[in-house]
């Protein structure tokens, strides 16, 4: 079998198998939901390993081709890692500010009612210094988030950006390949998003909506991969996104909770912001796709 279909089959089938207990009972309210969500993030890596077995390529060469090294220009890769580490929280903050300006996010900086309500819903004692708690969460997310989330983020990124992006951009072109890889990444989330994950008000419609976010975010993450020749800047960006995206929304007003489909970086405001960023990056710092002929040659070594 050819490596690419093997990768997709393993990543998608295993994601559904991991999430199956949620569908059999409890949904997103299942007590082990965080565990299943974490395990699901490693299914793309298992897909990469299955594709490697199908390709018969020496693992050291495979690791280089799928971005596990720092690429040919290590200095550039490290700069992009730093840019991702600091840039994602900046985008989160900017998306929140734009959401406020657009009237999509009402802040409650005095009472922090939304944060208080979330703590009470989780039966967590409400501390006296709520504002301090929000600041600490955001600082921890900025400073330590990429490190704390590094392993599960790599579990996804080695598949989507490390393996898939070079192959799709090599055959479809840079822009089409980045967008297609983002769409596939978004659809892979379906075991969770069909249950309303990320956008609970949308129900099953969250699956299609989140795919839209993954397309625009995937362009930026894919650009990081192609620009550096390494998966690590995308890993850092993904880990930072998971750590910080929701923290700023804790500043919202419980009487007027934000519509997550519109506000914040994962909402429509963020889509526009990421689309502009992706277009600017591709325009000012163009990237090249791997040779389609070379990738095709790799594929023909399989049976």
């Amino acid at each position: 079998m050819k490596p690419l279909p093997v990768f997709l089959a393993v990543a998608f089938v295993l994601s559904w198998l991991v999430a199956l207990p949620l569908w059999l009972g409890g949904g997103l309210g299942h007590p082990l939901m965080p565990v299943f969500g974490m395990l699901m993030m490693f299914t793309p890596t298992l897909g990469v390993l299955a594709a490697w077995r199908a390709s018969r390529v020496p693992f050291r060469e495979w690791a280089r081709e799928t971005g596990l090294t720092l690429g040919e220009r290590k200095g550039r890769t490290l700069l992009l890692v730093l840019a991702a580490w600091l840039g994602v929280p900046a985008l989160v903050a900017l998306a929140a500010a734009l959401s406020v300006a657009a009237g999509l996010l009402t802040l409650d900086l005095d009472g922090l009612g939304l944060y208080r309500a979330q703590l009470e819903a989780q039966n967590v004692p409400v501390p006296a210094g709520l504002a301090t708690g929000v600041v600490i969460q955001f600082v921890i997310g900025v400073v330590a988030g990429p490190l704390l989330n590094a392993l599960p983020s790599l579990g996804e990124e080695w598949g989507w950006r490390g393996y898939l992006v070079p192959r799709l951009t090599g055959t479809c072109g840079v822009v089409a390949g980045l967008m297609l890889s983002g769409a596939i990444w978004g659809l892979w989330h379906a075991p969770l998003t069909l249950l309303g994950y990320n956008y609970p008000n949308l129900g099953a419609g969250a699956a299609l909506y989140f795919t839209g976010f993954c397309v625009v975010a995937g362009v930026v993450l894919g650009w990081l991969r192609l620009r550096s020749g390494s998966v690590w800047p995308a890993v850092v960006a993904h880990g930072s996104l998971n750590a910080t995206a929701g923290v700023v929304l804790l500043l919202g007003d419980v009487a007027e909770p934000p519509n997550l489909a519109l506000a914040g970086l994962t909402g429509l405001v963020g889509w526009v912001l990421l689309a502009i960023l992706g277009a600017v990056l591709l325009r000012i710092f163009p990237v090249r796709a791997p040779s389609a002929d070379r990738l095709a040659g790799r594929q023909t070594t399989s049976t």
Side-chain angles (χ1 to χ4, degrees):
M1 294 182 63
K2 292 185 177 181
L4 182 55
V6 169
F7 163 74
L8 293 173
V10 170
F12 274 77
V13 170
L14 289 183
S15 71
W16 276 99
L17 289 176
V18 169
L20 187 60
L22 304 179
W23 284 83
L24 294 178
L28 297 178
H30 194 290
L32 294 179
M33 161 60 198
V35 176
F36 294 132
M38 179 76 71
L39 292 176
M40 187 174 157
M41 294 180 73
F42 291 96
T43 60
T45 278
L46 296 176
V48 174
L49 293 175
W52 166 61
R53 293 291 295 174
S55 71
R56 300 182 180 180
V57 175
F59 186 77
R60 180 172 295 182
E61 184 178 347
W62 183 260
R64 183 176 64 253
E65 289 188 359
T66 55
L68 285 185
T69 66
L70 291 178
E72 295 181 0
R73 302 180 64 174
K74 296 179 176 60
R76 172 184 288 181
T77 298
L78 293 176
L79 284 175
L80 289 174
V81 164
L82 180 61
W85 202 310
L86 301 178
V88 170
L91 286 173
V92 168
L94 179 57
L98 292 174
S99 298
V100 172
L104 300 173
L105 174 61
T106 302
L107 299 182
D108 179 14
L109 299 179
D110 293 328
L112 295 173
L114 190 58
Y115 184 33
R116 182 185 299 272
Q118 290 189 7
L119 292 178
E120 292 174 347
Q122 299 169 8
N123 295 318
V124 175
V126 178
L130 279 180
T132 303
V134 174
V135 172
I136 290 175
Q137 283 194 50
F138 189 71
V139 170
I140 291 176
V142 171
V143 175
L147 292 177
L148 297 175
N149 292 329
L151 192 57
S153 295
L154 177 62
E156 280 197 48
E157 290 302 321
W158 194 25
W160 307 127
R161 256 57 65 176
Y163 175 78
L164 188 61
V165 160
R167 278 140 190 87
L168 293 185
T169 56
T171 55
C172 304
V174 170
V175 175
L178 291 178
M179 295 182 69
L180 178 58
S181 67
I184 293 172
W185 175 39
L187 292 174
W188 168 84
H189 287 87
L192 298 182
T193 51
L194 283 172
L195 295 172
Y197 191 70
N198 289 112
Y199 308 103
N201 293 338
L202 298 182
L208 184 59
Y209 203 83
F210 189 65
T211 299
F213 166 76
C214 287
V215 169
V216 291
V219 170
V220 176
L221 294 175
W223 177 87
L224 288 170
R225 164 68 170 101
L226 295 178
R227 183 70 178 173
S228 65
S230 172
V231 75
W232 293 108
V235 169
V236 169
H238 194 151
S240 182
L241 176 65
N242 288 352
T244 61
V247 176
V248 175
L249 298 180
L250 295 177
L251 301 175
D253 188 346
V254 68
E256 299 180 54
N259 184 341
L260 299 181
L262 300 176
L265 191 60
T266 57
L268 191 59
V269 169
W271 292 26
V272 174
L273 187 58
L274 289 169
I276 293 173
L277 176 62
V280 169
L281 290 174
L282 290 171
R283 178 70 176 178
I284 299 179
F285 304 104
V287 292
R288 292 186 300 175
S291 168
D293 292 337
R294 181 180 63 79
L295 291 175
R298 277 280 175 255
Q299 300 283 0
T300 56
T301 63
S302 62
T303 57

